[in-house]
Amino acid sequence: MHTGVFIHPDRVLGRRSMMLYGHFIEHFHRQIYGGVFDPSSPFADEDGLRTDVLDAMRKIRVPVLRWPGGCFVSSYNWKKAVGRDRTPVFDKAWRVEDPNTFGTDEFVAMCRKIGCEPYICTNAGTGTPEEMSDWVEYCNLESEGEFARWRIANGHPQAHKVRFWSIGNENYGSWELGAKTAGEWGRLVRESAKLMKHVDPDVELSAAALTDIEWNVDLLSKCGQYLDWISIHKYWNLMAENNDFADYEQSMAYTNDLDTDIRKVRGLLTAMGLEKRIRIAYDEWNLRGWHHPNVHSIRQGRTKEEYLLPRDKNDINSDYTMADAVFTACFLNTLNRNCDIIGMANFAPVVNTRGCIFTHRDGLVLRSTYHIFDLYVNYLGDEILDSWMENGAAMHVVGKAGNHEDVSVLDVLATRRRGTNDLAVAAVNKHPSEKQVLALTAEGNYTAGSYRVVTVNGPETGSYNDIGTEQVKLTEGEWLPVTGRTLEVTLEPHSANVIQLS
Ligand code: AHR
């Protein structure tokens, strides 16, 4: 199937922020303890951090890392996880003991080693505005007051200067500890924001939101002038109670629902005249929801078999296939297309659970989604160009809920490396079995001398990476001469590609 794609190199729609390629890590299962923080690991550095994980995160240039939750944060007391004597606490969200040996100071130190911005989500569940602003004091005041002095006494004379803070996590949800009503939320956020901004006016604040009009109108009407961001989350294949994976075809059906929530929040921000002031932080997203039965439910699990051991099912590498890779590429295209209003996005999570990096005793597995981040971060341009498709094919798929969808086979995003003549076109072929031929034409008098295709793919839709097997890879094609105005590129089935023109 031939599809014409036309690019206008001089029509720049927006400049992507690298913050679209952000990540999230939570005190859940093996993300922190036994994941990135594992003092007993042969890969651990002097702070107990796995250097192989830090290296892998640096390679995909993680720009921002959100922590410590997620549901975890809604009953978290940050003060028990700083200082010489750490207090192990019972984590009421996930019902396990947290040793608190990894806390704010360890998190900030880890971000400095990775080279990413720390982004702290505060406890607006059981927490108070005072505790949130005390946290800002601890991190950002040089030496004034008890909390900055406490940080210094803990061996950190320099302020951490944490710039990004979110007030709360999903406090709208019945599953969240300390959940709030729409009427309560706006007032709590406003008073928290006031205290936090009085401590450090330079902090950028977000607050938990969703696409619900009542929740957001109350929030924004009370706090619009205090907020820089509004946070939304989305997992498409929800598996909290049943570890029931959508297969390739069912996963492709979700690609008709990539910008639904973005459009709703954009519309509301615009209606309230806030679209130039407040940006969207899509600060948890993943095709796959996490599996943790009998904790988000009223009836809590009684035995470890009921609520704890099932979490290990998140860690099965063969579940993360080209379905995850192709979906992730399509969603990254969506984020880039909306980069005028989306300033940050955080893949949830980065390590273990449904993340792109899997740790084991002897090393790492880089799952299929890791290679998509490598492709987008390291091979795509930062200016989003106007482009359009002619006779783009559609394919019929049936979603997880039996929903019949006609989805476009191709998902294409044209970009340019700012200040250069280098174009880079992200081109995803969602079709499970058919190649697609892209006929690429650049409008105006743009001419390219050479091109190459960088591809993330595996032999089949179910390809995955695991210990001892690497079926999904990123491969760089050879640079080839461009002959003529239109460049034809063949895209393999179920593949994510970047066509670089120089
Ligand atoms: O399934 C994990 C949870 O998903 C995160 O803790 C929460 O933020 C979201 O609901």
Side-chain angles (χ1 to χ4, degrees):
M1 183 74 191
H2 264 70
T3 301
V5 172
F6 300 86
I7 304 170
H8 215 297
D10 299 326
R11 293 231 303 260
V12 178
L13 302 184
R15 259 199 77 207
R16 164 215 73 193
S17 157
M18 277 303 283
M19 300 267 278
L20 294 185
Y21 303 115
H23 289 269
F24 168 57
I25 193 164
E26 176 165 2
H27 286 235
F28 174 83
H29 203 234
R30 294 192 319 119
Q31 293 177 32
I32 294 285
Y33 303 107
V36 67
F37 181 65
D38 190 351
S40 67
S41 164
F43 299 95
D45 65 11
E46 67 284 359
D47 297 325
L49 298 169
R50 281 197 52 158
T51 51
D52 52 348
V53 176
L54 301 182
D55 289 341
M57 290 174 77
R58 274 192 288 267
K59 180 161 184 260
I60 55 172
R61 293 161 58 190
V62 173
V64 59
L65 187 61
R66 178 173 178 259
W67 169 85
C71 294
F72 167 80
V73 78
S74 291
S75 62
Y76 175 63
N77 181 342
W78 68 268
K79 296 175 182 175
K80 297 194 183 289
V82 293
R84 306 249 185 276
D85 307 319
R86 303 298 171 88
T87 316
V89 297
F90 183 72
D91 160 15
K92 296 182 177 72
W94 299 120
R95 302 182 59 208
V96 294
E97 180 178 87
D98 188 309
N100 270 331
T101 48
F102 187 93
T104 304
D105 298 323
E106 288 74 28
F107 170 64
V108 172
M110 175 172 72
C111 290
R112 299 309 178 218
K113 286 181 177 178
I114 295 165
C116 68
E117 287 285 345
Y119 172 19
I120 292 181
C121 180
T122 65
N123 174 1
T126 63
T128 66
E130 185 176 20
E131 283 162 356
M132 296 181 213
S133 55
D134 290 351
W135 207 351
V136 180
E137 285 191 43
Y138 183 85
C139 291
N140 291 4
L141 290 184
E142 291 303 331
S143 58
E144 305 88 334
E146 65 174 293
F147 298 107
R149 291 168 183 271
W150 190 14
R151 184 197 70 246
I152 294 166
N154 291 339
H156 306 278
Q158 304 304 320
H160 290 327
K161 283 299 167 211
V162 176
R163 185 170 147 211
F164 298 105
W165 298 79
S166 170
I167 298 170
N169 174 79
E170 301 186 357
N171 302 86
Y172 44 79
S174 58
W175 59 85
E176 197 78 8
L177 300 178
K180 301 291 182 293
T181 64
E184 292 168 331
W185 185 237
R187 180 160 149 56
L188 173 66
V189 171
R190 186 182 59 212
E191 296 314 309
S192 304
K194 267 168 28 185
L195 277 162
M196 293 166 85
K197 288 270 189 180
H198 279 220
V199 171
D200 180 355
D202 291 331
V203 295
E204 291 195 26
L205 296 182
S206 184
L210 66 175
T211 57
D212 174 79
I213 297 281
E214 186 198 358
W215 179 275
N216 288 357
V217 164
D218 187 83
L219 170 66
L220 294 171
S221 55
K222 287 183 181 143
C223 315
Q225 70 275 29
Y226 289 99
L227 297 179
D228 308 280
W229 302 85
I230 184 169
S231 288
I232 57 174
H233 296 169
K234 191 159 184 126
Y235 298 92
W236 281 260
N237 182 190
L238 296 174
M239 292 190 269
E241 299 302 326
N242 307 303
N243 197 43
D244 182 11
F245 277 72
D247 64 20
Y248 185 87
E249 177 183 349
Q250 293 165 334
S251 297
M252 291 308 108
Y254 291 124
T255 62
N256 268 351
D257 177 29
L258 294 178
D259 67 352
T260 315
D261 293 2
I262 297 167
R263 280 187 283 110
K264 288 179 183 174
V265 175
R266 175 198 289 276
L268 183 67
L269 286 172
T270 306
M272 297 181 78
L274 292 167
E275 80 283 3
K276 299 290 181 218
R277 208 187 119 32
I278 293 180
R279 287 185 294 167
I280 296 172
Y282 219 121
D283 55 21
E284 281 186 40
W285 69 269
N286 193 320
L287 164 63
R288 315 286 188 190
W290 307 0
H291 183 53
H292 37 65
N294 303 311
V295 279
H296 272 190
S297 48
I298 303 291
R299 181 192 174 281
Q300 293 294 302
R302 295 297 193 279
T303 65
K304 300 275 189 265
E305 287 71 22
E306 282 183 331
Y307 74 92
L308 194 57
L309 301 182
R311 299 176 195 178
D312 294 341
K313 293 179 186 172
N314 286 292
D315 273 350
I316 299 168
N317 289 313
S318 55
D319 286 331
Y320 306 104
T321 67
M322 284 312 298
D324 301 79
V326 167
F327 177 93
T328 296
C330 292
F331 190 62
L332 289 175
N333 282 353
T334 302
L335 292 172
N336 276 287
R337 280 191 202 98
N338 290 274
C339 65
D340 62 311
I341 199 150
I342 301 183
M344 180 192 315
N346 305 71
F347 188 63
V350 59
V351 176
N352 296 329
T353 306
R354 308 285 197 209
C356 58
I357 300 169
F358 172 83
T359 65
H360 58 93
R361 195 171 51 82
D362 302 321
L364 301 179
V365 174
L366 300 180
R367 289 169 170 166
S368 66
T369 45
Y370 180 89
H371 299 293
I372 296 298
F373 277 95
D374 185 3
L375 181 70
Y376 274 66
V377 161
N378 292 312
Y379 294 88
L380 208 54
D382 55 335
E383 286 184 332
I384 312 306
L385 302 179
D386 190 11
S387 67
W388 60 99
M389 228 187 292
E390 277 181 358
N391 60 54
M395 63 185 190
H396 187 79
V397 291
V398 180
K400 195 97 182 85
N403 49 308
H404 286 255
E405 302 282 348
D406 286 325
V407 300
S408 60
V409 171
L410 289 175
D411 190 321
V412 176
L413 175 84
T415 72
R416 179 176 204 150
R417 204 175 293 280
R418 195 162 74 114
T420 73
N421 258 337
D422 296 340
L423 304 187
V425 180
V428 186
N429 176 7
K430 302 181 219 172
H431 202 285
S433 57
E434 289 174 11
K435 295 172 189 268
Q436 300 295 315
V437 177
L438 215 58
L440 216 49
T441 306
E443 299 292 304
N445 54 8
Y446 178 86
T447 54
S450 58
Y451 79 99
R452 71 172 176 178
V453 182
V454 186
T455 296
V456 171
N457 207 353
E460 52 192 47
T461 57
S463 293
Y464 64 89
N465 293 336
D466 202 344
I467 301 171
T469 175
E470 192 187 21
Q471 302 170 17
V472 179
K473 296 187 179 87
L474 179 146
T475 49
E476 291 181 353
E478 292 301 308
W479 283 102
L480 301 169
V482 172
T483 54
R485 293 287 298 152
T486 297
L487 171 66
E488 289 206 352
V489 177
T490 300
L491 305 177
E492 294 301 315
H494 51 75
S495 69
N497 312 271
V498 168
I499 304 156
Q500 291 186 316
L501 298 106
S502 176

